[in-house]
Amino acid sequence: MMKVFAHRGFSGKYPENTMLAFKKAAEVGCYGIELDVQLTKDDEIVIMHDETIDRTTSGTGYIRDYMYRELCLVDCYGKFEGEYEFQRIPTLREYLTWVKDTGLVTNIELKNSVYYYEHLEEKVIDMVREFGMEDRVIFSSFNLVSINKCKKLLPEVPMGYLMEARMDNMGFFTEENGVEYYHPDKNFLTEEMVQDCHAHGIGVNVWTVNKKELMKQLNNWNVDGIFTNFPDRAKELGLEK
Ligand code: G3P
Ligand code: CA
């Protein structure tokens, strides 16, 4: 049975990458949670998908231009305005403090592709070590430099290589880079690619899988995991491990 990660928390129903979305995912039940990290001007690791706060909060501008205390004033309302109480942008520290007692696994995506934050990898690794979460975390990135750096600094934590386009022979490529997982966009995956990765000992975790039909198909293809905005749907199908 494939593992189900709540993508940005239970983001199909609650504001993405907020403590509310993470706690609601845990309530529904899932194997793990996927989230994205960025760095503020004063080097606070915050959980946010975009490099700017424009799309998902009441504010505007680049995260890297803000002190964390300033970001505490913006509300992550997004399209869910009016349906819940004020949601602050969470820090990774706040998240790990909560998740460490839940048994959930966390996929931390290092957002180092659009803007390369210097030392984001080191800061995240230090915090994972501080919380003793090495065995409950997967790192992932679209950026091979970032992936290789994490692998060098903390080899015991599994890594996922994210890919947004079609690229064949990923089993070989991923294995060559010493990475444990291939994380493909659902639109660029075939059953043969899953088999190829498995033949190379590489796990396959697919994003972002929201439709039940696709969840069933990927489970039949024997993928290792999915990222979904709707962990409730996977639960209804009895697919979550
Ligand atoms: O980790 C899977 C997925 O989250 C990667 O794409 O843009 O949603 O971060 P994105
Ligand atoms: Ca992500």
Side-chain angles (χ1 to χ4, degrees), residues 7-8 34 36 49 109 111 140 142 162 207-208 227:
H7 182 243
R8 309 180 196 173
E34 188 267 359
D36 312 280
H49 178 272
E109 184 188 342
K111 282 294 184 198
S140 65
F142 286 99
L162 280 158
W207 51 280
T208 302
F227 301 100

Side-chain angles (χ1 to χ4, degrees), residues 70 75 77 130 232:
E70 297 171 317
D75 189 6
Y77 62 81
E130 182 190 327
D232 55 334

Side-chain angles (χ1 to χ4, degrees), residues 17-33:
N17 279 332
T18 59
M19 289 308 300
L20 177 66
F22 301 140
K23 288 176 181 172
K24 290 293 181 184
E27 270 175 42
V28 164
C30 53
Y31 173 80
I33 287 174

